[in-house]
Amino acid sequence: SQQGEEDPQALSIQEGENATMNCSYKTSINNLQWYRQNSGRGLVHLILIRSNEREKHSGRLRVTLDTSKKSSSLLITASRAADTASYFCATDAGDSSYKLIFGSGTRLLVRP
Amino acid sequence: EAQVTQNPRYLITVTGKKLTVTCSQNMNHEYMSWYRQDPGLGLRQIYYSMNVEVTDKGDVPEGYKVSRKEKRNFPLILESPSPNQTSLYFCASSPRLPPEQFFGPGTRLTVL
């Protein structure tokens, strides 16, 4: 089952611009995570936001969560060519299990 | 160095020939999980384990087996591989709930 759906599927921006990716999910959650994947490599955890949080920052990353709309956004400010990667949101199943459900990802290309 | 290792990294095999992909973590994490990644489908969870001798099915467990006899190891077993199991496989581990996961480098499997 696909819990998280990212939008857009692909995004191309110029270096220095901001990049915004969105994630929508279907059921109630305890937390939502964002991961980054460089081509064909393992995913790297970026940030986690809990269901009782609305916004969280980490360096150039800003994540928002709207549980009423069942959606989250990831903003990367002042993008760099090295930010080129795929970005995935992942949600828990809403219970206390370790089950994680990933979206299909947004491919970000930052042009130098 | 804290890491999740997978072996082999690349494997080409034939239909029906049993294979095992090993996964090991040196971070004393309780939680481990296996995912497969296919184009356009994101990551789908195959099995996960909350601790030694405790495993549970993810979204796509058919055709796979796992075991967790030791905390550090979580092998993925394909008893009779089929071409539809051709995929990129990732192992991940996490120390706690919520599962902010550390991913291995991936195993690219081709079943002919």
Side-chain angles (χ1 to χ4, degrees), chain A residues 46-63:
Chain A
L46 294 176
I47 196 166
L48 178 146
I49 187 165
R50 299 179 190 272
S51 60
N52 61 355
E53 297 175 311
R54 291 295 166 259
E55 188 170 310
K56 203 162 181 180
H57 297 253
S58 177
R60 294 184 296 112
L61 305 180
R62 185 180 80 128
V63 169

Side-chain angles (χ1 to χ4, degrees), chain B residues 94-110:
Chain B
S94 170
R96 70 185 84 81
L97 270 179
E100 303 171 32
Q101 298 185 57
F102 293 78
F103 278 80
T107 294
R108 190 167 291 279
L109 172 65
T110 301

Side-chain angles (χ1 to χ4, degrees), chain A residues 4-60:
Chain A
E5 297 287 343
E6 282 93 341
D7 170 58
Q9 290 187 330
L11 181 60
S12 179
I13 60 173
Q14 203 72 35
E15 200 165 29
E17 294 179 339
N18 296 340
T20 300
M21 290 158 261
N22 303 297
C23 168
S24 60
Y25 57 92
K26 297 173 185 171
T27 63
S28 62
I29 61 172
N30 295 309
N31 60 78
L32 184 145
Q33 305 178 52
W34 285 92
Y35 287 82
R36 165 198 168 118
Q37 182 184 34
N38 289 89
S39 181
R41 296 192 171 186
L43 281 71
V44 175
H45 181 263
L46 294 176
I47 196 166
L48 178 146
I49 187 165
R50 299 179 190 272
S51 60
N52 61 355
E53 297 175 311
R54 291 295 166 259
E55 188 170 310
K56 203 162 181 180
H57 297 253
S58 177
R60 294 184 296 112

Side-chain angles (χ1 to χ4, degrees), chain A residues 3 23-29 32 65-72:
Chain A
Q3 166 80 310
C23 168
S24 60
Y25 57 92
K26 297 173 185 171
T27 63
S28 62
I29 61 172
L32 184 145
L65 179 63
D66 187 335
T67 53
S68 66
K69 295 181 179 177
K70 292 187 169 58
S71 68
S72 173

Side-chain angles (χ1 to χ4, degrees), chain B residues 7-19:
Chain B
N7 282 293
R9 295 288 314 281
Y10 303 90
L11 179 60
I12 300 174
T13 188
V14 296
T15 298
K17 186 176 181 181
K18 181 180 178 180
L19 67 92

Side-chain angles (χ1 to χ4, degrees), chain A residues 54-104:
Chain A
R54 291 295 166 259
E55 188 170 310
K56 203 162 181 180
H57 297 253
S58 177
R60 294 184 296 112
L61 305 180
R62 185 180 80 128
V63 169
T64 61
L65 179 63
D66 187 335
T67 53
S68 66
K69 295 181 179 177
K70 292 187 169 58
S71 68
S72 173
S73 68
L74 171 67
L75 168 67
I76 304 174
T77 59
S79 63
R80 306 165 181 167
D83 293 328
T84 294
S86 291
Y87 293 82
F88 296 87
C89 68
T91 56
D92 64 316
D95 54 19
S96 59
S97 75
Y98 284 84
K99 191 170 181 178
L100 262 196
I101 306 170
F102 282 80
S104 52

Side-chain angles (χ1 to χ4, degrees), chain B residues 3-9 19-27 29-35 47-49 65-77 89-94 101-107:
Chain B
Q3 59 183 344
V4 178
T5 56
Q6 296 178 226
N7 282 293
R9 295 288 314 281
L19 67 92
T20 299
V21 183
T22 64
C23 174
S24 183
Q25 50 93 5
N26 61 1
M27 296 169 279
H29 287 171
E30 292 183 350
Y31 171 82
M32 298 185 75
S33 183
W34 275 103
Y35 297 88
Y47 270 95
Y48 60 99
S49 169
K65 283 176 57 177
V66 293
S67 68
R68 187 90 182 274
K69 293 185 171 58
E70 307 166 278
K71 199 171 188 178
R72 63 182 293 129
N73 296 323
F74 190 45
L76 179 70
I77 304 156
Y89 290 86
F90 289 101
C91 179
S93 72
S94 170
Q101 298 185 57
F102 293 78
F103 278 80
T107 294

